[in-house]
């Protein structure tokens, strides 16, 4: 189980909340990804960088925080990284919040 304090900190960013929101419906928000369906392989960092209007290293840092918190998984294909939500981990965190607030 991921550290709940670290997970809470990971959610304390509008950028990271936007990423999680878009990744909840990746085929809707990233239909132009050519490598594969975003819902199957995840979303490429480059597309997330473009959507956020941020440099790729900055977006990669946000993605790494979400990954370490357990909210994202990474799928490496060649030299590219594709990110997906870990729905089980997100559901567990939501249940924990409901139980403790």
């Amino acid at each position: 189980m991921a550290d709940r304090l670290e997970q809470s900190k990971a959610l304390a960013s509008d950028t990271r909340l936007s990423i999680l929101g878009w990744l909840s419906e990746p085929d809707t928000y990233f239909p132009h990804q050519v490598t594969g369906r975003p819902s199957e392989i995840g979303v490429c960092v480059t597309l997330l960088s473009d959507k956020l209007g941020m440099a790729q290293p900055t977006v990669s840092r946000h993605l790494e925080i979400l990954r370490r918190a357990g909210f994202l998984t990474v799928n490496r294909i060649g030299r590219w990284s594709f990110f997906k939500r870990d729905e089980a981990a997100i559901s567990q965190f939501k249940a924990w919040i409901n139980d403790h607030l």
Side-chain angles (χ1 to χ4, degrees):
M1 176 173 63
D3 180 281
R4 298 299 187 203
L5 180 58
E6 289 304 312
Q7 287 182 313
S8 298
K9 288 179 185 178
L11 297 177
S13 162
D14 288 338
T15 298
R16 292 189 289 273
L17 290 174
S18 292
I19 291 168
L20 286 173
W22 295 328
L23 293 181
S24 70
E25 298 180 58
D27 292 336
T28 300
Y29 290 102
F30 303 98
H32 50 291
Q33 179 168 284
V34 296
T35 308
R37 282 191 70 199
S39 58
E40 293 173 6
I41 67 166
V43 175
C44 180
V45 176
T46 303
L47 294 179
L48 288 162
S49 296
D50 290 347
K51 189 155 187 72
L52 288 163
M54 294 180 174
Q56 194 165 332
T58 302
V59 174
S60 292
R61 191 168 53 247
H62 284 293
L63 292 167
E64 181 60 18
I65 290 168
L66 289 168
R67 190 198 62 76
R68 282 195 329 256
F71 295 134
L72 296 181
T73 60
V74 63
N75 179 16
R76 298 196 198 301
I77 301 173
R79 57 179 239 234
W80 304 102
S81 296
F82 297 84
F83 289 84
K84 289 178 72 170
R85 286 168 47 121
D86 184 330
E87 296 299 341
I90 292 169
S91 292
Q92 290 169 1
F93 182 76
K94 287 178 180 180
W96 178 80
I97 287 287
N98 284 334
D99 290 345
H100 289 86
L101 287 183

